[in-house]
């Protein structure tokens, strides 16, 4: 039941809005356009007028700064939708010398995504740009600050047989000289892609919508596997084996839970590898390292079952020590990494995290209750043995429970 509740609450996170869309307008201080649409991220929007007789597009992109020393950019990918690499963009930022707003052209290649070299301004060879400019909302007296609105104007010559535009937009915190630094890598910032038809105004989210769903699937599976099933399996091994009435059944329950958790965790780990390959410029170092360590420890635990010595073997106690140490290490790393995953998904204050905390708290509560019961049973048995051994009728138990 707890697992079902956890899964439901984690899936609920996918329903939460990723951002607020901007409210579009067709009117600016200097121009009036025919159509406008609100873009799905960063409170951005775009307005345009299309001239079919010469296939010319007049447009204005509306964005906001997130830093006084940051940048705001908009551009077109002439070759592929839902992809930053290959885009031809215009980026507005404060001039490092004068502090005034400037607009420069840039071409985004793969080296930029991988942060191998600084982004340098270059002509837009594949984008037939007739004119471009940028201005701050509020006129000449407006200043660049956190939350300041900027308008990027452009006139673009389109192909006569194509009316669809694959465009990208984003914003960053800093500009080093005249080189904008990489933008934040939250799910919202990585979803700033879209396609719209300049004649109908119909827009579609070009960004692969499965990316967010794949991340949530990765999170749900791993939270259930590493964050709940493996701790639950450790609890069964510690407490059920003390119940003599069930005999060796505790072992099969423990093995079934742990094997199920490992198989689910393997699926979640594989999805994580796919997500990492799809985002070569985005790295979550701690989350990635903990994931690899947890999976490695779980794999060693599973392989250890094949080499488990018999109870009469003199190496049995060494195997048990290894099995306990690696097992508990795997449980701790798995739970910690689940919380890291919530931070990666920007769900640190979500109902999904609350639901997981409730499930984990329930499991901890069961452990505390079972631990107390084990102490009571152990003390009672120790007292009975003491009475049988020397006839004493009153003794206090100060020993720990059997491990």
């Amino acid at each position: 039941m707890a697992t079902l509740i956890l899964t439901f609450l984690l899936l609920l996170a996918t329903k939460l809005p990723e951002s607020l869309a901007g409210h579009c307008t067709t009117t600016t201080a200097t121009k009036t356009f025919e159509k406008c649409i609100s873009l799905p991220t960063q409170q951005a929007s775009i307005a345009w007028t299309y001239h079919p007789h010469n296939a010319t597009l007049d447009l204005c992109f509306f964005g906001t700064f997130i830093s006084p020393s940051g940048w705001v950019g908009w551009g077109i990918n002439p070759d592929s939708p839902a992809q930053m690499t290959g885009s031809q963009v215009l980026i507005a930022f404060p001039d490092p010398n004068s502090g005034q707003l400037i607009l420069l052209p840039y071409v985004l290649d793969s080296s930029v995504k991988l942060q191998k070299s600084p982004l340098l301004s270059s002509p837009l060879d594949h984008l037939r740009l007739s004119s471009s400019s940028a201005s701050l909302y509020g006129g000449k007296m407006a200043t660049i600050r956190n939350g300041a609105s900027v308008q990027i104007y452009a006139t673009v010559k389109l192909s006569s047989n194509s009316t669809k535009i694959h465009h990208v937009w984003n914003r960053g915190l800093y500009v080093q000289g005249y080189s904008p630094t990489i933008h934040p890598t939250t799910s919202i910032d990585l979803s700033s892609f879209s396609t719209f038809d300049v004649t109908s105004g119909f827009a579609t989210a070009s960004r692969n919508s499965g990316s967010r769903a794949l991340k949530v699937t990765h999170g749900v599976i791993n939270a259930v596997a590493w964050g709940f099933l493996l701790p639950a399996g450790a609890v069964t091994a510690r407490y059920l084996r003390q119940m003599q009435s069930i005999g060796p059944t505790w072992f099969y329950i423990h093995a079934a839970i742990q094997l199920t958790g490992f198989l689910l965790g393997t699926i979640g780990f594989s999805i994580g590898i796919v997500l990492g390959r799809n985002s070569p410029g985005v790295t979550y170092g701690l989350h990635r390292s903990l994931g690899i360590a947890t999976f490695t420890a779980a794999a060693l635990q599973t392989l250890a079952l094949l080499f488990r010595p018999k109870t009469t073997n003199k190496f049995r106690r060494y195997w048990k020590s290894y099995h306990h140490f690696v097992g508990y290490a795997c449980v701790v790393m798995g739970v910690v990494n689940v919380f890291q995953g919530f931070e990666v998904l920007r769900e640190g204050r979500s109902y999904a995290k609350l639901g997981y905390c409730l499930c984990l708290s329930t499991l901890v509560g069961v452990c505390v209750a079972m631990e107390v019961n084990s102490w009571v049973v152990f003390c009672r048995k120790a007292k009975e043995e003491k009475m049988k051994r020397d006839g004493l009728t009153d003794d206090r138990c100060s020993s720990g429970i059997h491990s």
Side-chain angles (χ1 to χ4, degrees), residues 254-291:
H254 166 70
I257 294 176
Q258 299 301 76
L259 184 59
T260 302
F262 177 68
L263 292 177
L264 283 176
T266 301
I267 296 173
F269 181 76
S270 301
I271 295 175
I273 293 177
V274 172
L275 288 170
R277 289 180 178 176
N278 291 344
S279 305
V282 182
T283 303
Y284 302 102
L286 180 59
H287 184 62
R288 181 174 180 269
S289 299
L290 283 174

Side-chain angles (χ1 to χ4, degrees), residues 142-153:
T143 58
I144 300 174
R145 65 187 189 284
N146 184 12
S149 299
V150 63
Q151 299 166 352
I152 298 177
Y153 295 88

